[in-house]
Every structure is written in C-alpha cells, then in structure tokens.
Amino acid sequence: MTATATSVGESDRTQPQTTPASRAVARLLRLLPAVVAALSGVLLYVSFPPRTLWWLALPAFAALGLLLHGRGWKAGLGLGYLFGLGFLLPLLVWTGVEVGPGPWLALVAIEALFVAAVGAGVAAVSKLPGWPVWAAALWTAGEAARARAPFEGFPWGKIAFGQADGVFLPLAALGGTPVLGFAVVLCGFGLGEAVRLAVRARRGDEVRRGAAAVALLGMAVPVAAAVAARPLVSDKAEDGTATVAVIQGNVPRAGFGFNAQRRAVLDYHARETLRLAADVKAGKAARPDFVLWPENSSDIDPFANADARGIIDRAAKAIGAPISVGGVVDRDGKLLNEQILWDPDKGPVDTYDKRQIQPFGEYLPLRSLIGAINETWTSMVSRDFSRGTEPGVFTMAGTKVGLVTCYEAAFDWAVRSEVTDGARMISVPSNNATFDRSEMTYQQLAMSRIRAVEHSRTVTVPVTSGVSAIIMPDGRITQKTGMFVADSLVQEVPLRSSETPATRLGIAPEIALVLLAAGGVGWAVGAGVRGRRARAV
C-alpha cells in the first residue's frame, strides 16, 4: 500500500502542471494570429495619405502572407476579415462624420467581406509554387469585385491610391491602378516569403532554390518594372499650354448644414472670382484662359433661378473667361449633379451630368428598408439624383477639359472615358465640406495624383472647402490651398494628347490579373481534391 501510494504521488508530480497564468498565456497565443491580422491591417492604413509612409504597405502584406501561409481557407477567411477591419475601419471613419457611426460600421463590415474572401483564397494558394504571384493577383481580383458591387461598387482604399509618393508610381502609366496595386502587393508577399524561408534556413530546414528565387523575384521585379516605366511619366507640354484658374470659395460651415446656405456658397465662389478678376486687372495675377469652380458651387439651379444666373454671369464677365460651374439642376423631372460650361458672352453653352453617383449620398438604395430602420437617413437624401450617360469634355478657350466629378475619380472607367474622348487635361470638381477636416480630402487628392500619372494629364482639383490643387502629369502637386479658406490658384499648365499604355489598354490588365487569380484558385482546389483522393486510397 505504501509503495503504491508513493508511486502514484511521484507520478502526479511528474505531470505537467497547468496554472492560471499558463492557461492565460495559452489563450493569448491562440489569439495572437487574430491580433497580428488586425494590426497588419492598421499598418496598411498608416501607409495611406495624408501620411507619406507608402512603404509600410510592404511589411503589412508581408505579415499577412506569413500569417496565412499554409492555413486552411476557413482560417484565411477569418484572418482576412480581421485584416480588412484593421485597414478599413480607420481609413473610412470619415463616412460617419455627419451621420454617426452606424453607416460607417455597416460600410466597413460589408467591404471587409471582400478582404475576407481574398484571405481565404490566399490561404488556399499559399501551398502552391510561386504563391506570392497568385496571392497578389487575388488581391487585385478582390479590388475589382469591390469596385463593382454592391450598389455599383466602392473602390476607396485601392492599394494604388496609397502610392502617390512611392517608387511604384510609374506603373500607373503602364497598367493603371490594377497593375500598380498588384506590384505593391506582390512585393509585400515576396518580402513575407523571403522572411519565412530565411527562418526555415536558420532552423536548418531545407529551402528549395525555386522557392527562394520566387521570393527574391517577387521583391525585385516590381521595383525593376517601376524603374523601367519611368520614361512613361512626363510633364512636358505636347499641345501647348493653358493658364487655368481654380476657385475655392469656401462654405459658411462644414457638414450637411452647408446645403441650407446654398446662396451663400454661390456668393462665396462668385466673390472669390471677382477678387481674382481685380487682381488680374491690377497685374497681380495672370489672366486665366478659363476658370474651374467646384462641385456644388451653385446648388441653386441657374436655369430656373434668374438671381443665380445673374451672379454667375457677372462673375464670368468680370474674369472675361469661360467658367465650369458645379450646379444642382432639376430638368425634366430629374435631379442632376451637373457641370455647366458658362461662357462670359453666351451664358450656359454645354453641360455634363455626373454618371457615377454616390449611394447613400446622392441616391438611397433600399429606401423603404432604410426608412423603416431610421427615418433620419431617408430625410438626408430626400430625393435621388439621376445619372448622366455621356462623357464630359468641355472645350474651354480651345482646350478640351475632361470633367470627373468628385466620387467618380475613384473609378477607373470614369476617368479613362474622358481621356479617350479627347481631353487634354482633367478637372476633378469636388465638394468635401460634408466631411469636415477628415482625411477624406487628402485620400481623394491622392487619387487625382494617381490619375494624372495614369493618363499623363494635368489634373486640377477645385474643391468648395479644400484641399484644392493643381497637379502636373507626373503626379507632382505644384499649388494647393488650405482647408476652409477662400482662395484661388492660377497657373500655366501643360496640355498633352498622347495616350499611356494604361489609357490604351483600359480594363485589359485587370481582366488578365483576375484570370490569373482564378487560375491559382483552380489549381489549389484541384490539388486539394487530388490530395484527398490519394489519402483515401
């Protein structure tokens, strides 16, 4: 009895002891992948404007690649969703500035589902040779889907839009935002694979030369391609120059409340134009060939309101140049967000109606359902805007100016259509007053810089409340205003007519990368099926 008791006691003492502290550590270790996924998403957010830390996108994707490598698709789905939340929650916080956290959280929850699907795909292809290539193509495919659905898509947060200050920027001229984004993500995943293989080698595990070569090429090829694409970027004039004036009139107050003071907004923009006209007359400023006002600079319909028409007419006559006026127009029972070409002698002579209108801002999908949830939201968008159908290219003092109204700048097709329709420069009239002093205006300004390089065109950004800017075809900002100040920018800018490869190719690079992603997923699924059959035998 004694011997048996002693043996049992000694046996108990040799068993691993679990203490509350060790159990807590075990739980934390199980949570570590989720924490890393979310923090990697935050790191990607930090790489976006107004910061110039574009290079942080590389370690963000390296960490994501390391995290997903070798995991099952279900784990990839969950970790991808957390990465998406870490990235999009801070990036899109401006969407809740005036309407509260509900719409912001709902938007992020939906958009992160696309990132989750990409995470599942990356986990699946991570077992394939050359997985960084398949994984980067999958990210591009996810962006392509997000730019089209739901409600005609929401491309905000494309990786390309965080690279306006980066070394990869020339790739925008080569293949547009899909190729630029693919290169950045590939470089990040290549970095992650290089780190993974280096750790394996340090442990004494075998590292295949092919895998090492893929990792190194994944980092080197995007950088080399960007260097090779540098000659595509130029700010030289091809069709002469034009002297443009960008007017920022400011608004009485930020937020949705500015709409209640529509006359004041119109007066502010007319006043700033008159001030510029006085400076021109006094020799303090160059005489502009044409003038660009922002979106919503005349929310009073000048076709129906003689007073508004008179104000714009006086401003145009004073400056002695045509003005592109952003108006809200009610025509034939349709509410239109319209750019109006206003001639100083003839008055309104041409119009462009915004084609890509903003869901929940300019029209309300699922109106009855949303009204049942919160009537305040339906009252904010009491009437839906209608869509335009034709590209907008104004001939202003002999210069073809392509109009891309605010939200449209996020969509590849909307910008390209103006260039292929003959635009020698682009204007992006915008109204960011609704979003106060948030990062939204800087994120949108970065988009315009990418578009300038993508199509090799000067881009002007007239904004009601800032930041307004003039951007050269090489993506450089040469002039910009502050926020919530009245100001004007006048500059001679180059006009260009040549088309970049990105302009000529259009959607083709994106389709190619989506097909590449589909091929990788198909290969991974096929390999998994064959593996299960082999084990069954």
Side-chain angles (χ1 to χ4, degrees):
M1 291 289 292
T2 304
T4 303
T6 302
S7 299
V8 172
E10 289 175 352
S11 176
D12 287 344
R13 286 194 297 271
T14 60
Q15 295 298 315
Q17 300 296 309
T18 59
T19 65
S22 65
R23 287 195 295 271
V25 169
R27 282 195 293 270
L28 287 173
L29 288 174
R30 286 196 295 272
L31 289 173
L32 186 60
V35 173
V36 172
L39 291 179
S40 299
V42 173
L43 189 64
L44 180 58
Y45 154 71
V46 176
S47 74
F48 271 66
R51 295 158 295 278
T52 57
L53 304 173
W54 57 270
W55 52 271
L56 287 179
L58 304 183
F61 280 105
L64 180 65
L66 286 169
L67 196 61
L68 296 180
H69 189 273
R71 293 185 184 270
W73 70 268
K74 291 181 181 178
L77 194 73
L79 294 172
Y81 193 74
L82 291 171
F83 181 85
L85 291 179
F87 171 44
L88 295 171
L89 270 171
L91 185 81
L92 302 179
V93 67
W94 51 266
T95 60
V97 167
E98 288 297 320
V99 295
W104 161 50
L105 295 175
L107 173 64
V108 171
I110 292 169
E111 294 298 310
L113 290 173
F114 291 91
V115 185
V118 170
V122 170
V125 301
S126 69
K127 305 175 184 69
L128 300 177
W131 73 266
V133 178
W134 310 110
L138 272 164
W139 185 274
T140 304
E143 289 189 340
R146 207 159 63 82
R148 291 165 174 81
F151 313 123
E152 299 197 350
F154 187 73
W156 220 276
K158 272 188 160 187
I159 298 305
F161 296 151
Q163 296 295 310
D165 292 293
V167 298
F168 300 100
L169 179 61
L171 291 172
L174 182 64
T177 61
V179 168
L180 173 53
F182 172 79
V184 174
V185 179
L186 174 58
C187 196
F189 282 144
L191 174 62
E193 177 69 345
V195 170
R196 188 184 73 85
L197 294 176
V199 171
R200 283 177 57 87
R202 188 175 180 83
R203 288 201 309 249
D205 296 338
E206 180 184 359
V207 174
R208 295 178 181 175
R209 289 184 178 179
V214 167
L216 294 175
L217 288 172
M219 292 186 289
V221 169
V223 176
V227 173
R230 189 66 187 83
L232 297 174
V233 181
S234 173
D235 65 350
K236 299 294 187 292
E238 294 176 331
D239 296 274
T241 62
T243 301
V244 302
V246 171
I247 300 296
Q248 177 176 302
N250 203 11
V251 298
R253 61 174 180 267
F256 280 116
F258 86 91
N259 283 314
Q261 301 188 44
R262 294 176 295 173
R263 172 58 190 270
V265 175
L266 174 56
D267 285 344
Y268 284 8
H269 285 83
R271 182 188 305 163
E272 185 60 26
T273 306
L274 293 172
R275 187 197 64 76
L276 176 61
D279 283 350
V280 170
K281 187 175 181 180
K284 297 178 182 178
R287 181 174 296 280
D289 295 314
F290 50 89
V291 180
L292 302 163
W293 282 13
E295 178 188 35
N296 298 123
S297 47
S298 179
D299 276 355
I300 300 174
D301 185 348
F303 295 103
N305 188 294
D307 194 28
R309 184 185 183 104
I311 292 169
I312 299 169
D313 229 15
R314 283 193 293 275
K317 283 179 166 54
I319 196 68
I323 303 176
S324 178
V325 177
V328 173
V329 174
D330 195 335
R331 181 183 297 118
D332 300 327
K334 294 180 179 180
L335 192 63
L336 300 166
N337 185 336
E338 191 165 86
Q339 288 292 310
I340 307 164
L341 176 54
W342 206 283
D343 185 88
D345 300 317
K346 302 175 183 177
V349 294
D350 201 357
T351 60
Y352 166 64
D353 300 322
K354 187 176 182 180
R355 293 170 292 167
Q356 188 70 43
I357 57 177
Q358 184 181 351
F360 305 100
E362 292 171 307
Y363 78 100
L364 198 61
L366 311 174
R367 181 176 288 275
S368 58
L369 175 61
I370 291 172
I373 297 171
N374 191 326
E375 291 184 0
T376 302
W377 295 345
T378 57
S379 65
M380 288 179 178
V381 189
S382 58
R383 186 179 172 192
D384 292 342
F385 280 81
S386 295
R387 304 172 188 277
T389 57
E390 300 295 330
V393 178
F394 288 168
T395 300
M396 305 184 73
T399 297
K400 290 186 177 295
V401 181
L403 282 304
V404 181
T405 307
C406 196
Y407 183 60
E408 292 181 319
F411 293 82
D412 295 346
W413 66 268
V415 185
R416 178 177 179 267
S417 67
E418 314 302 63
V419 178
T420 57
D421 204 45
R424 297 297 185 257
M425 62 168 287
I426 298 168
S427 183
V428 185
S430 303
N431 173 25
N432 298 338
T434 303
F435 306 108
D436 204 356
R437 295 181 181 273
S438 69
E439 293 182 357
M440 182 270 186
T441 191
Y442 298 102
Q443 293 170 9
Q444 190 178 51
L445 183 60
M447 290 181 195
S448 295
R449 294 179 64 191
I450 299 298
R451 299 306 185 191
V453 174
E454 182 179 19
H455 299 292
S456 196
R457 295 292 187 271
T458 297
V459 177
T460 57
V461 187
V463 185
T464 50
S465 55
V467 173
S468 299
I470 296 176
I471 305 167
M472 292 293 99
D474 60 3
R476 288 179 301 115
I477 297 175
T478 52
Q479 289 193 65
K480 65 180 180 178
T481 69
M483 293 185 74
F484 294 100
V485 293
D487 204 351
S488 59
L489 308 173
V490 181
Q491 185 174 321
E492 184 180 8
V493 300
L495 305 176
R496 294 177 61 84
S497 56
S498 62
E499 292 187 350
T500 63
T503 306
R504 292 193 295 270
L505 291 170
I507 198 174
E510 186 175 60
I511 292 174
L513 290 170
V514 169
L515 291 175
L516 182 64
V521 171
W523 185 6
V525 170
V529 170
R530 289 191 295 271
R532 285 192 296 273
R533 286 175 179 172
R535 287 192 296 272
V537 172

